[in-house]
Amino acid sequence: MAVDEKTYKVVGTQPVRHDGVDKVTGRAKYGVDASMPGMVWGKVLRSPHARARIKSIDTSRAETADGILAVTTGEDYPDTGPGDYMDERAIARNRVTYAGQAVAAVAAISAHEAEEALRLINVEYETLPPILDVQSAMAKDAPIILDELRTETSGSFGNSPTNIAKHIIHEEGDVEAGMAAADHVFERSYTTSMVHQGYIEPHNALAYWNPDGSLVVESSSQGHFGIRDDLSKVLDYPKSKIRVIPAEIGGGFGGKTTVYLEPLAAVLSRKSGRPVKMTMNRTEVLIGTGPASGAHTTICLGVTNAGEITAAKIELAFEAGGYPGSAVGAGCLCAIGPYGIKNFRIDGYDVIVNKPKSHAYRAPGAPQAEFGVDCLVDEICEALNMDPLEFRHLNATKQGDVRADGTKYHTIGNIETVEAAMATDHWKTSLGEGSATKRRGRGVGSGYWMNGGGKSSAVARLNEDGTVTLLEGSMDIGGTRTSTAMQLAETLGIAIDQVNPIVPDTDGIAFTGVTGGSRVTFATGWAAIEAAKDLQAQMVSGLSDYWDVSSDAIAVDQGAFSQNGTTITFQEAAAVLHDDGQEIVGKSTVEPSGAGNTFALHIADVEVDLETGKVDILRYTALQDAGTAIYPPYVEGQMEGGVAQGVGWALHEEYVYDEDGRMRNSSFLDYRMLTSLDIPMIETVIVEVPNPGHPYGVRGVGEVPLVPPLAAVANAISQAIGVRIRDLPASPHKVRAAIASSTQ
Amino acid sequence: MRAIQYAAPTTVDDAVALLAEHGENARILAGGTDLIVQVREDGRDTELFVDAKGIPELTDLTVSADGTTTLGAATPCYELYGNDNFCAAYPAIVDAARIIGSTGIQGRASVGGNLCNAGPAGDSIPALIVHSAICNVAGPNGRREIAVEDFCTAPGRNSLEAGEMLVSLTLPSPPPNSGTHYLRFIPRNEMDIAVVGAGAFLQLDGDSITAARIALGAVAPTPLFVQAAGEALIGQTAGEAAFAAAAEIARDTASPIDDMRGTVAHRKQLSYVLTQRALRGALAHAQGGTPSNGH
């Protein structure tokens, strides 16, 4: 439903996607398809211990094993200095901080020989008891995981050893006065488990060195410039001597925005003199890459009898994993995003625990932070006997309200999204009856995400037949070749099938940030628009030479060029300019601010088997403000994907650890993502409140749909069984235990 | 992973000879849906796969004149639910065959392999127990029979001696006015492993139960034959009161563990609930209906 009707020719249509034919015919080249003559295989030895000192590593037997060409350990890598721990995150040095951390790697003629050689590496560990949750890690006398760590608070560092890497504080208004003005104050604590992005394609890398000393790496990632820059840091090697070639990607969701195998493959290649290919198996992906933090949150809200939120106090403690750097910062910004609250204090803690170093996952930090808030809102609505959508409408963030970091909201579509939810058939249709042993519930969840800007580059090359080759720097993970090409086509006034979008390697285009933060259609789309304008201006200039008239005398309309009663089409102009000896290339690098904040609201109906605790999703509707939807089916796809992952997070997904800190469920059998039979058809409603900060009103859509499902599902279950669910996942044994506790 | 030898004998004698020669490092390969995964995950020091699928006796499905069925140990699941006579006679086994893995897995996976794998949660095993199935075993010292409920000895361990292999399963002809059902509880709706499984057999004379067998999966180190629950039903009127009493015995007999797939309390509760549901399904079948396959 478009709020602001503009007439576009290409934007908002559904053309055949440019990458479609290769993908449906199986010709698309993914990272794992990369190959080189003489290529050999690398494998990683991972720590079986969650917390240990490495006393020694003896690789001598592995080095002489059959087929072995190279062995690498942490000694082969430079010290990258304090702060981001890029060195240890690539391969352990003197300690391990989680089970699954890379400790050594080998390259061999065959993958089997490499695996066998790993058994011959003797690592002597001095094991220490692991710390596996934030509350234990934050306790007063907790053992210290990283001896040198000091808590950073607003840029200054504490004096004593700690497991708290960072303490973030956001404050506005007067919280105590706000609480005093409330008729009711509610406070509850919530927990969520560490979860994985669950991309189907495991990590992969192929590395080789040219005789001139330059390094080439092929891997599927969410940003080849980011991979290049990480490699440069981990290897202490100039960026200009590293070329990263992107591949099609089989899912990333934030998890493929850093290096894991790439530096190991590079060093093994340097040592062996051969191209080295590495791939992970599923267990390695789960234990050795960057899942999303588990979190413990405490939410306190003050409300009046009329349902107005007067103040919020929020504490978020996120599992960083074995090294600092959880998404708690973004969680702090998002926690109360959907609610316009004048008085708040938000405290965020980035906490070291002996689990994999967490990494970005789709709206990083927001699902964990907003889950508790939206569950408490539901509890408040129940206590005040208020409709949860009316409550959200009353308290909705509006233009002019202030975000946690003090940023003022411009035009946002929060209220419009709530109103659209009120108008859905789903909301107006009764839940229906369960049975003697099955109870139904309906839950609502809200979601907020900032969306990102960042640096993006595009080059538009005019071909003599009037087609345009669009080179863009963003790895295409969600159909962005087409969504940026559409913005170029709209700007030039040509048809979308006249544009051929390509993602070149790091030597073939100017720097472009990662594909993340829901930023590509916004920022790289903008770069394509600017490149198109540059191209068009150059065409006008070229035609002014050709026609020998001033540029001002040439009018451009729908891609056609006119002067003095003569009109030529875009194609004719391309031919004329080519024949005239002119080759036209438009280019642009942008770093736009003005990314549009985005809001979502989901409605979930569940049925709970009271005897077993099993939860079935009966109906699900997802709404969100997309700004202008450039390619509406892509927007719907993003919404549906977010729902599938979010419902999995709510119901099943979790890292299960034994007391030694080893992940027990490191396969897709026991790490339960939803299958196609576990979720019904998802109804989607795209709300369009165009972002005034983008030429075509784009906001960004990929991340926010992961936020609302956690609370929507938990609230629905709570309504069905009459007991509040505050600990995710709401797996059957927990739901059944809650039912049993209420009937005793 | 090391290179592994592969042999495809065509007779039971040849297969037994290979097992005798290579000892514990030789493994019988049926569908391979468990075995190959285990070997890849480095769980076994396997040197030789002895592929059983080339031995006719291991893939045959035959019915003798007295109605007894002999099911070759390597017969894939899809052949069972693709066989109307088998479906009518052994509904619990078919219930299990339809939910092992996925459709693709069922094209390879066999009931015999599921049994030899001896997983506490193996879906087919409680179903075989309630159908009173007998294992036909061949080895260096000839052939012998073992009741299915005595076959598994511990998680992943069975009572096959060195050099022995499971050849087939003998399934008695279903008695008149009888029915069976197997179901399991899984958190999702497919591609999952049983938190608890339950199978039931009922034979009726009018409304009165004349014979009953109940078996549970995933609540003990091996699939569990709950003989007392079945015996308690004999002479009772088929219905909710009798089923609840039997289910209480099943719950009390279950001795599950806490693990990542379920808790003791949840598995006890599920033993109670699923036993009743299995009995309802068996009753419906005995009365000529089709049990619903709800979880």
Side-chain angles (χ1 to χ4, degrees), chain A residues 115 611-612 614 670 673, chain B residues 1 188-189 261 266 277:
Chain A
E115 275 176 17
E611 292 184 314
T612 66
K614 183 168 183 188
D670 286 306
M673 294 173 60
Chain B
M1 185 175 175
R188 293 179 298 187
N189 292 307
R261 292 169 186 156
H266 195 222
R277 292 182 184 182

Side-chain angles (χ1 to χ4, degrees), chain A residues 112 115-116 119 609 611-612 614 652 656 664-665 668-670 672-673 675 677-678 732-733 736, chain B residues 1-2 42 185-193 260-263 266 269-270 273-274 277 295:
Chain A
H112 293 321
E115 275 176 17
E116 289 300 315
R119 294 169 211 265
D609 184 329
E611 292 184 314
T612 66
K614 183 168 183 188
H652 301 299
V656 180
R664 295 293 316 281
N665 58 333
F668 275 161
L669 175 60
D670 286 306
R672 292 191 169 80
M673 294 173 60
T675 72
L677 293 189
D678 298 316
H733 70 87
R736 173 57 210 170
Chain B
M1 185 175 175
R2 298 184 177 89
D42 212 11
F185 179 81
I186 54 175
R188 293 179 298 187
N189 292 307
E190 66 167 344
M191 297 291 286
D192 220 325
I193 187 165
M260 62 186 163
R261 292 169 186 156
T263 60
H266 195 222
Q269 165 72 7
L270 290 172
V273 173
L274 295 194
R277 292 182 184 182
H295 299 294

